[in-house]
Amino acid sequence: MRGIILCLLIFSFLLSGCSTVQLSKDNECIGVLVHNKFEYNGIAEIGVAWARPHPGPFSWGYTEVVSGTYDWSETDKWVKKAQKHGVHTLATVFPYADWDQCLPGCEVSSSDHFANGRKQIPIKRCSPCDVDSYSDWLTKLVERYDGDGINDMPDLIIPVVNYEILNEPELSMPELTFFIGSAKEYADILNVSYKTIKQAYLFSDTNQALRV
């Protein structure tokens, strides 16, 4: 199972031509992981092109705290901070919302690194119970930051066009567990997320670059 999950761990969508702005750093491959917005000041000085917020503000329950109610304000701040310094964003999607988690045995250990005081991902981390609601949220997320001029974040300059679904889902330790479930359940999340993100961009050209 570990091998299967590792093979599926990371995929990202490189979307050229869908945004209103294309910057020179788009094709550069040097990036870093950031834990807070203030780190952008330092990484910009050394010329880093990409940053992956971790765990980051692209978590379902972080922006849809209550079903049907969306608050993008904190996520907007991350995106604006990155683009202020000319840094592109690799968004890690966590498909968890407290109000959606309905299965038993989904709560991580109290010693989990992100269980206490870190609100970006909840302590329950199983597959979404309401897949349609998850897909609806993911569509809105992609649409807000894709740079196509439709329902975009105000003053968006550098679109978010690269996504990672979960982070290290194979980890299962008391101090660090990002996903509770089987390899098949993770593959199902990956499949739904892939189709949702692709549909949200509404490609008219099937030859658009798609990095998996």
Side-chain angles (χ1 to χ4, degrees):
M1 182 180 76
R2 186 183 181 90
I4 295 173
I5 293 182
L6 284 173
C7 289
L8 295 171
L9 175 59
I10 295 177
F11 76 98
S12 61
F13 302 85
L14 180 59
L15 311 172
S16 59
C18 71
S19 66
T20 56
V21 177
Q22 293 295 322
L23 302 181
S24 60
K25 288 186 177 181
D26 191 47
N27 292 319
E28 296 183 14
C29 60
I30 303 300
V32 297
L33 182 148
V34 293
H35 291 94
N36 62 69
K37 295 187 288 293
F38 302 105
E39 294 180 43
Y40 284 104
N41 300 327
I43 65 175
E45 293 178 0
I46 60 175
V48 168
W50 295 88
R52 180 170 74 93
H54 183 68
F58 302 96
S59 174
W60 183 12
Y62 191 65
T63 49
E64 190 180 359
V65 180
V66 178
S67 177
T69 301
Y70 302 91
D71 182 359
W72 306 104
S73 58
E74 286 301 315
T75 308
D76 286 355
K77 290 177 183 178
W78 280 84
V79 174
K80 288 179 179 179
K81 187 71 172 180
Q83 68 182 22
K84 177 182 178 180
H85 294 285
V87 176
H88 289 250
T89 297
L90 168 58
T92 302
V93 172
F94 287 95
Y96 312 132
D98 282 328
W99 52 266
D100 170 74
Q101 293 283 305
C102 63
L103 300 175
C106 292
E107 190 168 318
V108 299
S109 168
S110 60
S111 61
D112 185 272
H113 183 63
F114 297 104
N116 300 303
R118 304 293 292 272
K119 298 181 180 180
Q120 291 175 334
I121 53 176
I123 59 175
K124 293 183 178 181
R125 301 172 193 169
C126 285
S127 297
C129 289
D130 188 340
V131 175
D132 289 339
S133 290
Y134 166 64
S135 295
D136 185 58
W137 166 79
L138 186 55
T139 297
K140 289 179 171 61
L141 174 76
V142 171
E143 188 59 63
R144 186 168 182 83
Y145 302 108
D146 64 2
D148 65 357
I150 302 173
N151 297 322
D152 286 349
M153 178 191 80
D155 302 316
L156 180 65
I157 298 173
I158 302 179
V160 178
V161 296
N162 293 269
Y163 291 88
E164 173 188 7
I165 308 303
L166 281 171
N167 175 73
E168 298 180 305
E170 81 283 1
L171 287 181
S172 182
M173 301 180 290
E175 64 273 15
L176 200 57
T177 298
F178 288 111
F179 176 63
I180 298 176
S182 66
K184 180 184 183 304
E185 288 170 326
Y186 173 67
D188 289 341
I189 295 173
L190 199 66
N191 185 47
V192 168
S193 301
Y194 173 89
K195 291 179 179 178
T196 299
I197 292 174
K198 186 174 181 180
Q199 178 63 30
Y201 279 104
L202 295 175
F203 288 141
S204 58
D205 180 0
T206 56
N207 292 320
Q208 290 279 0
L210 183 66
R211 189 169 63 197
V212 180

